[in-house]
Each structure stands twice: as C-alpha cells, then as structure tokens.
Amino acid sequence: MMGYDNNAALNFKPKKFLFLPTYFKCVPFVTSKPKKKKLSHKKQGNCAMAWDRAALPGLLLFQALFLSEIMAKSAELVQNYRYETAYACEGKTLKIGCQEGEVIKLIRANYGRFSITICNDHGNTDWSVNCMSQKSLRVLHARCSQYQNCSILASTSLFGDPCPGTLKYLEAHYQCLPAATITTTNRPSPPWLITSQSPMWSTTKTAVRPPPPPPKPSKPTPSRPPVTATTHNTTSSTQIIIPAMDVGLPPKKIDNEEDLTLPITTTIIPNVKTTDEAITQLFTPSSSGPSFWTGEFDTANYCSPVVLRSIYWNWTKHGDHNIQPCPGGTTGFARWRCVKVNDKAIWSPDTPDLSECRSVWLTSLEQRVLVMKDSLLSITSDLAQVTSSKTLYGGDMMITTQIIQKMTTKMSMDITTIPDPRQREAIVTDMLNYVVKTGSNLLDVSQHPSWKDLSYKEQMRVATSLLIGLEENAFLLADTVQTEKTVDQVVKNIMLSVRVLDKKSVTTQKFSAHKEWIVSNNTIELPRGALLENNDGEFVRLVFAAFNHLEEILQWQPESADSNSNKNITRVLNSKIISASLGKGRHIQLREQVRLTLSHLQTSNVSNPSCVFWDYTTSSWSDEGCQVETTNDSHTVCLCDHLTNFAILMDVHAIYLPMEHQIALQIVTYVGCVISIICLILAVITFQLFRGLKSDKTTIHCNLCICLLVAEILFLVGISRTENQIICGVIAAFLHYFFLCAFVWMFFEGKNF
C-alpha cells in the first residue's frame, strides 16, 4: 500500500481545515504567509491517514482499468485467429501443428466420448456418450500448450479409462496464435487480485474476485472467440482461459461509446450431457451467475446461442450468417442466418443448412463405386447397413441417392457379361433388396432431421432422385426376368412389387396391401387394356410401390400465384403415397383410366379432396389427368389417365368443429327457419285476406314477407347442394337476389315512416 511521510505533512502551513463527509477527512489549504501556529501531532496524523484513504481507491481503479485495457487489446488480437478442432481415435496419435511463428493455445480437450458418430465405423449404438477423463486438458496442456507442434497417443495409459467397454477418442480444441499474445510475465500482482486459485484444468468453477464493473461495450461481439487473460503473483503466473463455448457471454445493449473490456473469470462446465436440450439450457442466462453477467441482453439485435445438430451456434447479429464446421466425422460447413422479426432476432429457417455436410464413410463408399475394386453387391450391402445405424446429415441424403443411381447404371452394364440368366436374376434381386432397405432407412422417422437439413427445393430434388432410383432398380430386375414372375420386397417403410406378366394371359392387375404391410390399405387397379397396349413383346412388365412417411417429406407448397389468390387455404397430403409404372419413369398416357382407392390419414377438419400425382420434371404435385370419382370421410376413389406416384391433397379447416356441435347447429338452423317460414306464410295470408288493411305500408310489408319467405325456403332446400357447381351457383344467385329485394323493401318501409 502506498502512503505519505507524516513529517512531510508538517511542512504545510494550513489556514484552516475543510472536513468532508466521504473520503477526505482533512484537507489543508496552504496560504502564502505561513503562520507560526503549528498543528498538533494528533491533527497531523489524521490528515496523513485521510490522504492515504483518499488515494487508495483511485489507485485501485487505475490498475483495474489498465489491466482491462490490456485484456481488451488481447481479445482484439485473438479474434483474428480461427478456432480449430482435432480428433484421434483410441490407439491412434493426435497431431496438432501451427505455422511458423505461431504456438498452440489450448481451449479445451477430452479423452472419452461425447458423440456416437465419431470413431464409430460399424455403427455401434451401445456406447456411452457422457464419457469424460478429468485429466484430459492437464495432459495436453503439459505436452502441447505454447509449442508449435505436438503429438500425443490417445490411450488409457495416459488418460485413464473413464468408461470401460466404450471405444474412446481424444479431441482437442485450440487456436494457433502468435507467441507474443500468450506470453506471461512475473510482475507482482496487486493485493486485491491475489487469490488462491485452483489449476486451470480443474473441473470445478474457479472463483476470482472481479474488478470494478467494466464500461458498456460500444460494439458487442456476437461470436466471441476464446480469450486469454493473465494474472500474476510474486512467485508464478497463471493463465485464465475464457472460451466462448464455455462462457457464452451475451452482448449487452449499447448506451454510449466506450472501450470494450473483459472481466477476469474462468468458467468450466463439468460433465455436460450432449443432447440438444441439455446444451441449449446450458446457455440460458441464470440469475445465479457472476455479477458482471447481469444486465439486459440484446436479444432484439442478436440471436441467442443454441446447440442444434451437434453444432454450437453462438451469438449472431441479425442479418448475418453464422458459418460453422460440420459435426465430427463429416466434412464441409454448416450455415444458419439470424433475421429480425417483430423487433426480435431469431434464427431462420427453423433448422440450419447442413446440405454441405457429408460423412467421411459415405464419401468412401462413393469412391468405391467409382474405382470399382469391390463388387456392387458388397457396396449396396454396406450402404444399407450404415444408413440404418449412423446419423445422417443433409449432404448424406443427396449423395446416397446419387450412389443408388450410379450403382444401377453400372449394374445394368455388368449383368450383360453374365451368361447365366438365373445368376443375373439372383444378383439383381439381391441388389434391389439392399436398395429398397436403403430407401426405407432414408424414409425412417429417425432420419427426418436429416431431411430438414436441406431447403424445401433440395428436399424435393432428393426425394425425386430416390423415387427414380428405386424405380430404375425395380425395372432392372423386371427386364432381367425372362419368365412370368412376381417379386415382392416388403421392408419397414417401402412395399415394392415387380410383376412380369405373360401377354396372352394378362388380366386386370390390382395392387393392395401385403399381409406384412400394415401401414395402409390403398389399392391400384390397372385395366387389361392399359396393360396390353404397353407390352414389350411377350411380356408386360410393371412395378408397384407403397411408401411410409414419404408424405411427410413431399409436402405440398403452393405456387406464387396460388399463394396470392388463396391466402386463407392450407392444403396437406392426406394419404400415403402409392405408385405404379409401366416403363422406367416415363409419363405414359393410358386409354383406359386407372382406379385408385386411397384412405385418408385425417378424417376430421379436412375437405375438398384432390387427386394429385408427383411430377418428376417439376418436382411438385399436379392434378393434371386425375379426377375424384367418389369420396367419403375415410376414403377417396380417383381416376387417372396415366401412371406415376399418387396421393390425396385436401384442404385443412382453420377451426375444428366437433360432430355433435355440427348436429346442434343444423337442428337450430332448421328449426329456426321452419318457424320463420310458418310465421311469414301467416303474415302473407293475413295481408291478403283482410282487405280493410290495404295501404301502401301493408303492401310493402307483404312484399317484404314474400321475399324473406322465398329466400328462406331456398336456403333450406339448397344449402347442402354443393356437389354440383352449376346448381350451387344458381341457388346462390337466387339467394342473393331475394335477400337484396328484402333490403330494398326495408328501405321503402323506413322512408314511408
């Protein structure tokens, strides 16, 4: 503590003393002509002590501002360097390297397992994903921190075994910084900063007494990279790590233009579950946090942090795109935009864009298809297996459908070299089985987040590619079969039937639910004439298919013109998708119409069914060539003059009215109208029978009653006649006419009064 010599205070010749209520208990005012009167030693001591107490807060504030300025400059330098991540499976060596003149700055590390997809080539789902070695960061810090390059073996001998029976991996998050930005000194720290701190790799929260509250930032940083602050004592120096992933400091609203300073703290979150919900809650502001976290969060201009699809999305200003590396085990970058809606910043769309994220194992499969070192059956078998066990992303959906089509093209060329027709048929049948299983895996509910990784147009293109790939594989088998035969493939989400029929004995073909298919009972009937006109000589080859969950992906979206004209209409696919084809995706026109019976998924709150088909050329739903024959609450029968993928499109009512309420409203309506009709008839008879009541007023009354009587009779008779558009239009026109006449007679009645 700094002080002043008491003897020096005796040299002042004060005229008088001004006593202040706060810090300055004694303030001497020196005159030009000192008097001989001296202060007593007691008074002199009080003055010196008052100066000590007055100087101490100012010095402490000066030191705090000086240290905050240094930390702000350090943060400004660190922001320019990218956040890197490295992985190494158990038994492999983790290698980290920086460029010349840069050193490694570790952010966090773990030996264990937080993700099921990393280092999991065989798709094991039984391993723990909450596995963490407590000394991971300590070991890596000793071997890598402040070095240009380092390597370390990912093994239990170094890190221990936090979860026996689980294959572990070592991950390190770091930055490559210039050596000058992380050097430390041995300058003594002021007494108010000296505290007993646990090591930086401790898994418990390190408590450091904060300096005075920093000024409000002039430019809040939405995505703050890790910052290194350095505190000192008389014997050693300690680094305090402030990673953005762990602290997640939100920006605050800006009140004035001042320098940006960072508080000194360390927060390490131990043993956090890696579910989206858990990590989202981790970044929710808490009232129990440090004092400098309190304040008003600027959620009007910044999107809040969230973890989605195993990626941490930090604070982002509205109008900006947040670009992050794809999850572990994949390549590419993910994107998500922050937009401002109703004075609040939100992420848009609801899910990030992961269309560029491609799994490493899937890229390897694609290379195997191109190189052709392995058999196609082996590749399709691996594709079916891994898509059933691994987490897929948006880019994986696109590449999987491409692999299916590439394998079909190669198989169509390879089978020409096989002389035995039975062997050709067996090979193509096995391949079709694997392809159908792969398609079923892509349609499974567990993979729906992968579809959401894509935009609407990309989803439609990928779904179209999947349908074409399945159809081409099915017709590859149909062309291989040289005898009359039916091959059925039934898996969880797809039922496929390949039929080769002898032209001489062909009859009407009906495709209905298989005994193992309990998803729906939709049916397709192809008349004999339509089959005969599409034969290829001796045989008629056709393919039927039914899908589960595909209707949740191929959702209807109105065209721009439709959306403007029908703003209050919401349409939805209200049936499972079923398909029939006579020729490899060709839009074949039929002389005789095909009949489809489709069951409704939702029976209440829907109306106005439309029979639609999926147009491969536009990747959208169309009702061209299809019409509704009959419909009821549970089923709709359609007639179409071509073959492709079919479904039912229906309007969704904005408000659901229970059936008992509908019946009650009908009763009230009919009873009220009947009573009104009876009274109107009595009024007209009265006006006609009593001649003495004849006058202009009674004539107006009589005409008014006649108009209302005719209008209400029309209402009762024709209100439910909506099945015929012409009759419905005529009834509506007469209703408008007679009610308009009633209003005119009311006008005349009011004028006469």
Side-chain angles (χ1 to χ4, degrees), residues 556 558-571 652 654:
W556 174 79
E559 300 290 340
S560 57
D562 296 338
S563 59
N564 293 331
S565 59
N566 300 311
K567 293 183 178 180
N568 296 326
I569 295 179
T570 301
R571 310 206 79 189
V652 179

Side-chain angles (χ1 to χ4, degrees), residues 243-257:
M245 181 71 179
D246 293 338
V247 178
L249 293 178
K252 297 182 180 181
K253 286 190 174 180
I254 306 162
D255 295 329
N256 52 17
E257 295 290 333

Side-chain angles (χ1 to χ4, degrees), residues 437-477:
K437 288 182 179 179
T438 301
S440 177
N441 296 335
L442 297 185
L443 296 179
D444 197 68
V445 176
S446 61
Q447 299 297 351
H448 279 193
S450 308
W451 291 93
K452 297 298 182 182
D453 293 341
L454 305 171
S455 65
Y456 174 80
K457 291 184 177 179
E458 289 173 335
Q459 290 182 40
M460 300 305 103
R461 285 197 298 266
V462 173
T464 301
S465 178
L466 176 61
L467 292 174
I468 293 176
L470 289 170
E471 190 175 276
E472 289 179 348
N473 274 272
F475 273 105
L476 182 61
L477 175 60

Side-chain angles (χ1 to χ4, degrees), residues 604-605 653 655-666:
S604 59
N605 200 29
H653 299 165
I655 300 175
Y656 170 69
L657 193 63
M659 184 58 65
E660 56 271 16
H661 291 178
Q662 295 183 27
I663 296 174
L665 286 176
Q666 288 179 356

